[in-house]
């Protein structure tokens, strides 16, 4: 044994935990997010390397290196190839892997206890079981979320008595977990316990619609962090305990903020079935007709405006139009037009989705405003340009008390003097709710792929000289 390891290992874990906290703090701002990711990556590297020196790690070094190698290559390959539009799927998948890893730790440690290889006191067994439940739910639930976001699971499964079934399965999971604590683990009981926990994660997520996925992803991120924290206690690993707790707390706060931005309690997201697919969602009391505009006229409106606010949505992400939109912004700014960007907290398919895309295009952070900071500016705005956003600009949230999104804070683009909506067609979008904005007198629809339309707008502005 290397002299001083009893001090070096926990000290290194503590340093890694501090770096995790600093990295997470830095990720809270777009200005410092890149630095935060680097600090967190270095912290993870420190934690991995020092684990090889941990006194309880004996042998299996080859397997550890092979596993780390496979994971690193897979992560590198996916990170290099995944499109920005597919980031929500990747986040959901990585959340699931974290939860699954925590559940696997619980299974291994409980099996060791069954075989008499380790002694576990009551508190440790309880935390191992709790981490196993949470990690398993996060794992299977995140995989279902991934399948929905990837388009592999388009149908939202709902049936009579579904909530009762979910409750029974979750109650069975708790009972089996209780038996593990009271009677002690056994392979048969562990198999039933993890099968029930995995099934619970599937059943909870299956009826949730696509529009609620940002909240669901955030919730499973919080659960994964919590499970890792619990299993860190089981392994007596301070880095896992601190990092897991911090990630769990941050994820829980983010989930709460996301639910608040939708004006809905989390229980409503999980159990009410909002965010339906097009086939079963209800439309609002839309009346009138959608009026279209061509790109040339839209370009003239914006070129001679004093103030333009751009509202990006998932449609911009799908079309990868952020670079063209920034080129259009620079062109308008050179003509003396004041251009700003308005971001809704739940725009896109994951928290911060639009901020990432705009940062990728080079949009300065001081041009980007949150909902509460920019809503008061819409009445004095000449043109609000909406690019593939839907529910977050739907006035039904203010006007239609029967709407599923009634009460949800929205960007008040309908209060701008003119509103131009870039959209592929006349469908209701991902959530399936009719958007009253499209029928407002001051709204004009500009149909087409967002990137191609942005190029047409650029050409139109340039043609004005």
């Amino acid at each position: 044994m290397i002299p001083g390891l009893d001090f070096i290992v926990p000290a290194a874990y503590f340093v890694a935990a501090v770096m995790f906290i600093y990295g997470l703090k830095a990720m809270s701002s777009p200005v410092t997010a890149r630095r935060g990711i680097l600090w967190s990556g270095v912290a993870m590297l420190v934690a991995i390397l020092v684990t090889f020196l941990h006194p309880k790690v004996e042998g299996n070094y080859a397997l550890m290196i092979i596993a780390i190698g496979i994971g690193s290559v897979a992560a590198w390959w996916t990170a290099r190839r995944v499109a920005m539009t597919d980031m929500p799927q990747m986040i959901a998948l990585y959340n699931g892997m974290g939860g699954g890893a925590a559940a696997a730790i619980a299974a291994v440690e409980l099996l060791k206890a069954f075989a008499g290889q380790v002694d576990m006191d009551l508190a440790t067994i309880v935390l191992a079981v709790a981490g196993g439940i949470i990690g398993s739910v996060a794992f299977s639930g995140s995989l279902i979320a991934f399948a929905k976001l990837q388009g592999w699971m388009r149908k939202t499964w709902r049936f009579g008595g579904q909530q009762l079934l979910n409750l029974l399965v979750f109650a069975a999971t708790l009972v089996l977990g209780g038996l593990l604590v009271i009677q002690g683990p056994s392979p048969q009981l562990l198999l039933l316990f993890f099968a029930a926990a995995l099934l619970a994660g599937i059943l909870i997520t299956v009826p949730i619609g696509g529009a609620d996925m940002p909240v669901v992803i955030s919730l499973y991120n919080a659960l994964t962090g919590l499970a890792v924290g619990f299993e860190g206690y089981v392994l007596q690993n301070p880095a896992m305990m601190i990092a897991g707790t911090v990630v769990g707390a941050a994820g829980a706060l983010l989930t709460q903020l996301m639910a608040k931005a939708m004006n809905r309690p989390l229980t409503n997201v999980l159990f009410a079935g909002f965010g339906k697919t097009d086939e079963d969602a209800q439309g609002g009391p839309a009346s009138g007709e959608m009026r279209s505009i061509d790109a040339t006229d839209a370009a003239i409106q914006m070129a001679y405006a004093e103030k333009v606010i751009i509202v990006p949505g998932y449609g911009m992400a799908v079309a990868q139009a952020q670079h063209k939109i920034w080129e259009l912004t620079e062109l308008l700014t050179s003509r003396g037009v004041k251009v700003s960007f308005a971001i809704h907290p739940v725009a896109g398919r994951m928290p911060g989705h639009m901020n990432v895309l705009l940062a990728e295009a080079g949009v300065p952070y001081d041009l980007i405003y949150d909902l509460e900071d920019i809503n008061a500016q819409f009445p004095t705005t000449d043109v609000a340009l909406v690019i593939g956003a839907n529910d977050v600009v739907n006035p039904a949230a203010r006007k239609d008390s029967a709407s599923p999104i009634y009460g949800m804070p929205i960007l008040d683009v309908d209060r701008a003097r003119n509103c131009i909506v870039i959209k592929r067609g006349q469908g209701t979008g991902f959530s399936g709710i009719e958007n009253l904005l499209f029928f407002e007198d001051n709204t004009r629809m500009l149909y087409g792929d967002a990137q191609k339309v942005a190029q047409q707008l650029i050409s139109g502005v340039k043609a004005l000289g």
Side-chain angles (χ1 to χ4, degrees):
M1 181 175 175
I2 301 175
L5 275 184
D6 289 341
F7 171 77
I8 293 173
V9 171
Y13 280 142
F14 180 76
V15 170
V18 172
M19 293 168 70
F20 276 133
I21 294 172
Y22 176 78
L24 196 60
K25 175 68 174 64
M27 289 182 212
S28 64
S29 167
V31 179
T32 56
R34 186 188 296 271
R35 186 196 315 157
I37 292 171
L38 290 174
W39 274 94
S40 298
V42 172
M44 181 60 73
L45 181 62
V46 170
I48 290 174
L49 290 179
V50 80
T51 299
F52 281 88
L53 302 177
H54 198 290
K56 292 184 179 179
V57 176
E58 298 176 353
N60 293 327
Y61 294 116
L63 288 176
M64 291 169 62
I65 292 173
I66 291 172
I68 292 171
I70 293 173
S72 299
V73 170
W76 175 268
W77 184 78
T78 53
R80 296 280 296 179
R81 290 180 59 87
V82 68
M84 290 303 295
T85 49
D86 294 335
M87 286 297 287
Q89 292 94 304
M90 193 173 82
I91 298 298
L93 194 59
Y94 282 5
N95 276 347
M97 295 302 105
I105 290 173
V108 169
E109 292 303 309
L110 290 169
L111 280 174
K112 282 183 177 179
F114 169 75
Q117 297 177 5
V118 295
D119 291 326
M120 299 177 75
D121 57 25
L122 179 61
T124 305
I125 293 179
V126 169
L127 287 178
V129 169
I133 294 175
I134 297 171
S136 298
V137 169
F139 174 68
S140 57
S142 295
L143 293 186
I144 296 298
F146 166 79
K148 285 174 173 281
L149 291 168
Q150 189 69 13
W152 293 353
M153 182 182 286
R154 297 185 182 278
K155 187 174 178 59
T156 301
W157 296 91
R158 298 194 186 96
F159 50 85
Q162 189 170 21
Q163 300 300 347
L164 178 61
L165 176 64
N166 292 355
L167 181 62
L168 291 175
V169 171
F170 192 69
T173 306
L174 293 178
V175 169
L176 291 167
L179 291 175
L180 282 171
V181 174
I182 296 171
Q183 299 181 359
S186 68
Q188 296 81 6
L189 196 54
L190 279 171
L191 184 62
L192 291 174
F193 167 72
F194 280 106
L198 291 169
L199 181 60
I202 293 172
L203 291 175
I204 290 172
T205 315
V206 160
I208 299 175
D212 287 332
M213 278 302 134
V215 183
V216 174
I217 291 174
S218 180
L219 173 65
Y220 285 143
N221 179 49
L223 293 182
T224 294
L226 196 59
V228 169
F230 285 171
E231 300 311 326
Y233 182 87
V234 173
L235 295 177
Q236 288 298 294
N237 186 312
M240 287 177 64
M241 282 189 271
I242 297 173
T245 303
V246 170
V247 170
L253 286 172
L254 181 60
T255 304
Q256 186 180 28
L257 289 173
M258 300 276 288
K260 183 180 179 182
M262 299 174 73
N263 193 38
R264 301 167 60 210
L266 185 58
T267 51
N268 184 269
V269 174
L270 294 176
F271 305 121
F274 167 65
K276 304 171 182 177
T277 55
D278 289 349
E279 67 198 46
D280 54 3
Q282 298 177 353
S287 61
E289 61 178 352
M290 299 184 194
R291 287 171 282 271
S292 62
I293 188 173
D294 62 37
T296 301
D297 289 341
I300 291 173
Q301 275 196 13
M302 288 191 287
Y304 291 105
E306 292 184 1
K307 184 194 291 186
V308 171
I309 296 179
I310 298 174
V311 180
Y314 188 65
M316 185 186 79
V318 171
Q320 288 290 287
Q322 60 270 23
H323 295 280
K324 289 296 181 184
I325 292 299
W326 174 233
E327 185 180 346
L328 173 65
T329 301
E330 290 182 302
L331 200 57
L332 292 173
T333 303
S334 69
R335 295 177 62 90
V337 182
K338 182 181 178 182
V339 183
S340 305
F341 289 81
I343 305 288
H344 192 281
V346 294
R349 300 273 173 90
M350 70 174 186
H353 197 182
M354 295 301 107
N355 301 74
V356 171
L357 290 175
L358 294 180
E360 181 198 20
V363 177
Y365 302 124
D366 58 359
L367 295 185
I368 303 173
Y369 294 88
D370 293 329
L371 178 147
E372 60 271 18
D373 297 323
I374 203 166
N375 253 355
Q377 296 187 34
F378 280 109
T380 60
T381 298
D382 298 301
V383 179
L385 178 65
V386 179
I387 310 166
N390 206 335
D391 292 336
V392 298
V393 295
N394 191 346
R398 291 196 319 266
K399 300 177 179 178
D400 179 13
S401 60
S403 172
I405 63 169
Y406 182 69
M408 170 181 165
I410 61 166
L411 291 163
D412 295 330
V413 297
D414 58 313
R415 290 173 173 164
R417 297 186 181 110
N418 299 282
C419 181
I420 299 171
V421 179
I422 298 176
K423 200 171 183 297
R424 287 177 181 271
Q426 296 186 344
T428 52
F430 199 54
S431 70
I433 301 171
E434 196 68 80
N435 194 332
L436 302 188
L437 174 69
F438 304 160
F439 301 89
E440 297 281 351
D441 291 337
N442 61 338
T443 297
R444 295 294 181 271
M445 306 299 293
L446 183 51
Y447 295 112
D449 174 83
Q451 185 174 161
K452 292 179 180 177
V453 170
Q455 180 57 55
Q456 292 169 356
L457 292 173
I458 292 169
S459 300
V461 174
K462 285 181 176 178
L464 297 174

